[in-house]
């Protein structure tokens, strides 16, 4: 299962942008991300009507920044 707190924060970040279908969202995922977590993230983008996105790997230096949060 995914971390509910992290996922809830992800949804909170998307909320102000709901319905902005022309916006392109860059999603960076750790290569160790569980498939279910990726699918739930994509579902959240779809539910927020944010249909344009790019999935990219989370770079090692970015992972360190995220882990420090």
């Amino acid at each position: 299962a995914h971390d509910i707190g992290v996922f809830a924060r992800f949804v909170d970040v998307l909320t102000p942008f709901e319905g902005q279908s022309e916006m392109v969202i860059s999603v960076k995922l750790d290569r160790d991300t569980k498939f279910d977590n990726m699918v739930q993230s994509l579902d959240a983008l779809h539910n927020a009507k944010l249909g344009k996105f790019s999935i990219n790997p989370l770079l090692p230096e970015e992972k360190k920044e995220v882990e420090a949060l």
Side-chain angles (χ1 to χ4, degrees):
H2 62 278
D3 181 333
I4 299 294
V6 171
F7 188 73
R9 288 193 306 255
F10 177 68
V11 172
D12 288 345
V13 168
L14 295 178
T15 299
F17 306 105
E18 284 183 4
Q20 295 184 28
S21 61
E22 295 303 312
M23 179 178 284
V24 178
I25 302 292
S26 177
V27 179
K28 296 220 169 189
L29 298 172
D30 188 341
R31 292 198 180 273
D32 295 328
T33 299
K34 293 180 181 174
F35 182 75
D36 182 59
N37 291 350
M38 182 185 70
V39 170
Q40 295 220 2
S41 297
L42 297 178
D43 285 346
L45 289 167
H46 175 75
N47 291 340
K49 297 178 179 62
L50 296 168
K52 295 182 181 181
F53 53 87
S54 172
I55 300 174
N56 301 290
L58 186 67
L59 301 175
E61 58 271 15
E62 295 167 329
K63 184 175 181 175
K64 287 179 186 175
E65 288 180 31
V66 171
E67 289 172 339
L69 297 176

